[in-house]
Amino acid sequence: MKFESLTKALQDCLVFPYRLGYRQQTTKMGFYRSKTSTLVLVLYLLSLLNKFETKHNTHHSHPHHKHSHSFVTNTRLNQAYIALQAWKKVIYSDPTNFTSNWVGSSVCSYRGIFCAPAIDDNSTTVVASIDLNHLDLAGFLPDELGLLTDLAVIHINSNRFCGIVPLTLSNLTHLYELDLSNNRFVGPFPSVVLSLPSLKYLDLRYNEFEGAVPSELFNNKSLDAIFVNNNRFTSVIPSNLGMSTASVVVFANNRFGGCLPPSIANFANSIEELLLINTSLTGCLPVEVGYLYKLRVLDVSYNQLVGPIPYSIAGLAHLEQLNLGHNMMSGEVSDGICVLPNLANFTLSYNFFCEEEGLCSNLTSKGTLFDDRWNCLPGKKLQRSKKVCDAILDHPVECEDFHCQSS
């Protein structure tokens, strides 16, 4: 293969996601998946190009000018070898024998390991990415992983890794994406991630982390996506939530409790997707939610929210999905929300709403997926009984009684 061929392949790799239409993905999660696949492929091609260039230069050198540039002269790959061998020793189940070729010093040939030129020195090859997703590996993360100081990506989702996340990961100052999801990690929130200056994507969902989510997480101005759903987190949602510049935050299926803080208004310039499903939220949905003008997805279903839908939500022109289902909200459903131009899915089932204005009474005619079952809507099918509705509607909610404070 010639250099021109490899260069062309690399160029094709860089435009590949656009050819497949990834720009039309409607969720940030899809965007990150496509971007990560591209990054891994780019790193792999760069690795091939680097190897080929080394062979090419060696082939055209005069014999008596040859110099040995063997792996052992590369300190960073030596460190990577130590780290990966230490990791292999504590992977005690590998059903597909994926790590069976993690043998010898040529770490760039290990399956799931991708090398590229170092950021600070293009002439030095380093381990830049690890992708061990969906392999059913069992084991834990050794402290030696802190030797992989050039890593940009760690993806180990859908395995059986357990234990705690080692503090030595603080050495990974170039880490851009960290995906530990769908494993068996335990202990408090892994505070080591707060010290990673380059981290953009953090995925901790579907583990056994517990305790409070530290407020420092939302002071981080580099994080763009935060997934902490489906753990055992408790306490309350930090009042400085809105200080983050993330565009995606998923808290679902934890036990936070308390109110959604009015300081969420500070999220206005960044947040696009906010999922708070089944997080034991109480009180009213604050009017400040309507200030999040970039919001495309808002899901606060399966909580204990009460009171009306803030009319300010009618100003969210980009809103595509709104799920208020399975709460104790009441009052009327404003026509201003139902006429939102991009609204494609609106769920308000299992609440106590008593009136639907204008288009809301026949929203499906607009082509919107709409679910208003089990409310108190006169003349609609599948509603609560009058007795149940009267017991709630005879005692109007005063949102001020919940003392939700801004900070």
Side-chain angles (χ1 to χ4, degrees):
M1 182 183 292
K2 297 181 179 180
F3 287 116
E4 292 79 2
S5 300
L6 276 174
T7 302
K8 179 62 168 58
L10 182 55
Q11 291 171 344
D12 289 343
C13 173
L14 290 170
V15 301
F16 184 65
Y18 297 96
R19 291 176 178 172
L20 289 184
Y22 285 128
R23 296 178 71 178
Q24 299 176 8
Q25 293 274 357
T26 58
T27 64
K28 278 279 182 172
M29 194 180 305
F31 165 73
Y32 273 105
R33 284 173 179 166
S34 64
K35 181 179 70 174
T36 299
S37 300
T38 303
L39 177 59
V40 169
L41 188 54
V42 169
L43 292 173
Y44 178 66
L45 285 173
L46 284 172
S47 175
L48 287 177
L49 185 59
N50 186 63
K51 290 179 181 177
F52 187 79
E53 184 177 7
T54 300
K55 291 179 180 178
H56 177 83
N57 290 338
T58 300
H59 177 73
H60 288 87
S61 297
H62 196 275
H64 66 268
H65 287 143
K66 279 188 177 181
H67 296 282
S68 175
H69 294 287
S70 65
F71 161 77
V72 294
T73 65
N74 188 326
T75 304
R76 299 188 193 185
L77 289 184
N78 274 333
Q79 289 183 307
Y81 172 75
I82 294 170
L84 295 172
Q85 289 301 308
W87 198 2
K88 184 178 180 180
K89 288 179 180 178
V90 294
I91 294 176
Y92 50 81
S93 178
D94 182 359
T96 64
N97 292 319
F98 188 83
T99 61
S100 61
N101 81 326
W102 286 23
V103 177
S105 58
S106 299
V107 294
C108 295
S109 65
Y110 289 9
R111 279 191 289 268
I113 306 303
F114 300 90
C115 294
I119 292 176
D120 59 342
D121 181 1
N122 286 335
S123 65
T124 300
T125 300
V126 297
V127 172
S129 175
I130 294 176
D131 185 357
L132 303 179
N133 288 345
H134 302 282
L135 294 173
D136 199 27
L137 298 171
F140 59 92
L141 306 185
D143 288 341
E144 286 85 353
L145 290 184
L147 296 173
L148 298 168
T149 55
D150 296 285
L151 273 177
V153 175
I154 299 178
H155 283 185
I156 58 171
N157 78 58
S158 303
N159 287 290
R160 289 174 287 143
F161 289 114
C162 59
I164 60 173
V165 179
L167 294 176
T168 54
L169 293 191
S170 62
N171 295 331
L172 310 186
T173 56
H174 299 300
L175 198 63
Y176 186 89
E177 297 188 11
L178 177 61
D179 184 353
L180 307 179
S181 62
N182 198 18
N183 279 285
R184 299 174 182 177
F185 292 110
V186 298
F189 181 92
S191 58
V192 65
V193 305
L194 303 175
S195 63
L196 300 174
S198 302
L199 196 64
K200 291 287 185 183
Y201 178 94
L202 175 64
D203 194 344
L204 303 178
R205 56 191 158 157
Y206 292 97
N207 279 288
E208 303 292 330
F209 295 117
E210 59 190 48
V213 172
S215 60
E216 291 83 358
L217 179 65
F218 303 102
N219 293 331
N220 187 319
K221 301 303 182 184
S222 66
L223 276 169
D224 183 56
I226 301 171
F227 298 92
V228 297
N229 51 294
N230 295 82
N231 279 282
R232 298 174 180 269
F233 291 123
T234 54
S235 187
V236 296
I237 292 177
S239 61
N240 68 329
L241 170 65
M243 299 306 294
S244 173
T245 56
S247 63
V248 179
V249 174
V250 183
F251 275 161
N253 299 312
N254 286 287
R255 289 290 177 265
F256 290 106
C259 302
L260 185 61
S263 58
I264 196 174
N266 297 324
F267 241 151
N269 292 325
S270 65
I271 193 69
E272 297 178 21
E273 299 183 22
L274 180 61
L275 283 77
L276 299 163
I277 309 158
N278 189 31
T279 51
S280 301
L281 284 178
T282 57
C284 295
L285 201 59
V287 66
E288 288 82 0
V289 168
Y291 302 169
L292 308 179
Y293 66 94
K294 291 186 176 181
L295 205 59
R296 295 189 296 108
V297 178
L298 175 63
D299 194 331
V300 293
S301 58
Y302 292 90
N303 285 293
Q304 289 88 52
L305 294 172
V306 297
I309 305 173
Y311 186 75
S312 58
I313 289 179
L316 300 180
H318 298 290
L319 196 63
E320 300 170 9
Q321 299 179 41
L322 175 60
N323 193 341
L324 309 175
H326 292 266
N327 280 286
M328 297 186 294
M329 299 179 73
S330 56
E332 64 184 32
V333 185
S334 168
D335 187 51
I337 296 173
C338 296
V339 299
L340 285 171
N342 292 295
L343 191 63
N345 193 323
F346 184 13
T347 300
L348 49 85
S349 55
Y350 292 88
N351 279 285
F352 295 92
F353 294 112
C354 60
E355 182 181 352
E356 294 174 330
E357 289 186 348
L359 182 62
C360 297
S361 62
N362 189 24
L363 190 53
T364 54
S365 64
K366 181 187 170 185
T368 302
L369 295 176
F370 185 52
D371 187 353
D372 60 0
R373 296 171 299 160
W374 299 108
N375 279 282
C376 301
L377 300 168
K380 284 290 187 84
K381 296 180 179 179
L382 300 176
Q383 299 296 303
R384 298 183 188 274
S385 69
K386 185 177 185 301
K387 179 180 180 180
V388 170
C389 290
D390 288 346
I392 297 296
L393 301 180
D394 287 346
H395 299 86
V397 170
E398 297 293 337
C399 291
E400 293 78 11
D401 293 343
F402 289 90
H403 306 292
C404 295
Q405 301 295 321
S406 182
S407 62

